Amino acid sequence: MSRLAFRPRAAALAAALVLLAPAARAQEGAADWPMFGGGHDNRHYAPLAAIDRGNVGRLRPAWIFQTGVTGYFQAEPVVVDGVMYVSTTGNHVAALEAKSGRVLWTYTHKARTEKIFGPPSNRGVAVSGGLVYEATMDGRVIALDARTGKVVWDHEAVRPEEGETETASALAAQLGDKPIQGSSRLGFKMPPLVADGLVIVGVAGAGYGLHVEDDKGGLDGGSVVGIEGGYGRRGWLAAYDAKTGAERWRWYVTKADGWEGGFVATTADGEPLHRDIAAERAAAPQNREAWRVGGGSLWMTPAFDPDLGLIFLGTGNPAPQNFGLTRPGDNLYTMSLVALDVKSGALRWHFQQVPHDEWGYDVASPPFLLDYPTPQGPVKAVAQGSKTGWLYVHDRATGKLLARSEPLIRHKNLYAPPTPEGTIVSPGPLGAISWHPVAYDAATGLAYAQIRHGAATYTVKTVPAAPGRPEIRYTETSEARGEPSFSTLTAVDLAQGGAIAWSQKAGSRLSGGTLATAGGLVFSGEEDGHLDAHDARTGEILWRFQCGAGIGGPPVSFAVDGRQYVAVAAGGASFTKGSGFGTGDALVVFALPD
C-alpha cells in the first residue's frame, strides 16, 4: 500500500498565487465549520455573508494543500478554533492553519489489510473535546490528539473480509478479462458523528456485488452484478466511548425477527413495486436466514437532535445486490430512513423508501433537520434527498411522512423488475441523489441538491451448470445506452410543499454535494474540476474556478479573523477514471482579494 507523502507547500503556493490581504470581513473572530454538515442538523449551510452575489466574481485561491496521494479525495474538512482537519485517500490526516494552509501535524495511517471495500476513499473526520476521530477503510475507529496528531486510542471494530465465494469466482471467470472488484468487505467511509459522549459510525460494503469495469477503465460506466444466494454481510451502526473507544451499543440494519415485513405491494408513499409476491412467499421458507447476510450499508453521517435524543440515518441496499428471490420480503430495515435512540441504539421509527429493492436505491444522502411549516404551525422535521428522485420530509419524533417534493427527475419504468430481455429503469443505481449532501437554507426554505438524470438496464442472466458447480443466476446492471444522461443543480422549496424553485443544467456531471451561504450563494462541484458559485435565488452561475481535478467532496465555508473562506477537495472520484477528467490531490481554499 502506498504511504502518504504530505507536501507542505501551502506557503509557497500561496505566495505564487499572489494572495490576498484580508479585505472583506464576515464578522469579528472565528466562524468555524466544527463538524460534518456544519452542525448536528447536517444543513451544509454557512451563516457567513462577506462573500456574496456582488463580489463572488473576485473569489481567488488563498492557499492550496496537496496531500501527495491522488484520487478518491472525498473528504469534507472540519475547522475548529482556526485549525483545519482533513482526512485523505488512505485515511491519512492533516491539521492545517486554516488561514494560511501551514501544516501543523500529519498522521500517516498504516492499514492492517489491503482487502478493503471499494476504492480507498474517506469522507472526513470529527473533532470534539481535543480529539480528532476517524473511521477507517480497514475497519478501525481512531482518536488522535488534536494538538499533536498522536494516537490516543485505536479500536479495531471489524476486520474486512474477502467477500469472494466459489460462486463469485466462477461467475468472474465467465465475465472475461475485464477487471472485477468484489464487495462485501466491511469498512468505514462516513465521517463519524460525536454526540452525547459517543463516537457513532456505520459500516459500508455490506451489500454484495461484483463491480465490472467498462472498456474505458471506469467502474461507473461498467456494470454491477448481483448474484443469487446469500453472499452479503450484515450492516451495522455502532457507538464508541469518546474517551476510551470502548463499544457502547450496536444496531444491526437487518431485522432478525420478521425482516420479511408485510410483503407490501406499494411503497409507503404509494408507488407500485411490481413485485411477484406469490413467488416471494413461496421462496420464504427456504430463505428464513437471509437476514444474516442481508446487507444494509451506511454511507453518510447521521443528523442528531439533542432535545429528542435521536439520531437519523439512511440505510443501503439489501444483499444479494439487485437479485431478490433469495431474500423474499421487504428486507427490513434496508433502504430506510431510521431514527435511533442516541443512548442505546434502540430503533424509534423507520420509513422504508424501497421495500425489496432490486435497483440499488440506497438511502445514501445524509438527512438534515428543519422546521417544516404546516397549517397547525411549524413541525420539527427531518428531510432526506433520495436516489428515487424525490425529497422526503418526516416528523422528527414519529417518522410520519409530512411531504414529498415534486419529482426531481423524469421517471421511467420506476420499480420495474429486472428481466432476461433487459429492463430500462430511470433513475439507475447512481440515483437522482447519491451520497452527496443536500444544502438547506432555513431563512428561505430552499434545499439545494445535485441531481443525476440517467437510466440503467437491469438484465437477469444465467451461467449454465458445470461439473461440480450449479447453475448461477445473476442480475447485471449497466448504463442504458441512448437514454439522456446529465446533471442539474436543483432548488426545492420546502416552504411551499416541495415545489421546484429552479433547476440549472450542468456542463458535466455534478459531484461532492452542495453548500449554501448567507451571502445568497450555492457552491457546487463538477466532475470536470469546476467549482461553481450559483445565485441562490435563480441558479445563475456567478463564478467558476477550475481546480485541476474532479470535485470529490462537499465544499465548506468558514471565517478566521473575520475573513471568509471556501474550501473543497479536488481529487477526482471513481467515475473520473477513463472519463477524460484527471485525478488529483489538492485541497483548494478560496478568499476575496483586496
Side-chain angles (χ1 to χ4, degrees), residues 14-57:
L17 290 165
V18 195
L19 291 189
L20 312 174
R25 300 288 177 177
Q27 58 190 45
E28 293 302 316
D32 291 341
W33 189 270
M35 63 187 70
F36 177 83
H40 282 136
D41 53 23
N42 265 358
R43 289 180 181 175
H44 282 85
Y45 174 82
L48 301 172
I51 302 169
D52 59 24
R53 298 182 185 95
N55 61 25
V56 68

Side-chain angles (χ1 to χ4, degrees), residues 310 359 402 588:
L310 294 181
W359 307 274
L402 300 174
V588 188

Side-chain angles (χ1 to χ4, degrees), residues 509-533:
R509 189 155 56 193
L510 298 178
S511 59
T514 55
L515 163 72
T517 74
L521 300 171
V522 180
F523 290 88
S524 174
E526 300 189 41
E527 70 168 11
D528 70 355
H530 280 100
L531 180 65
D532 306 325

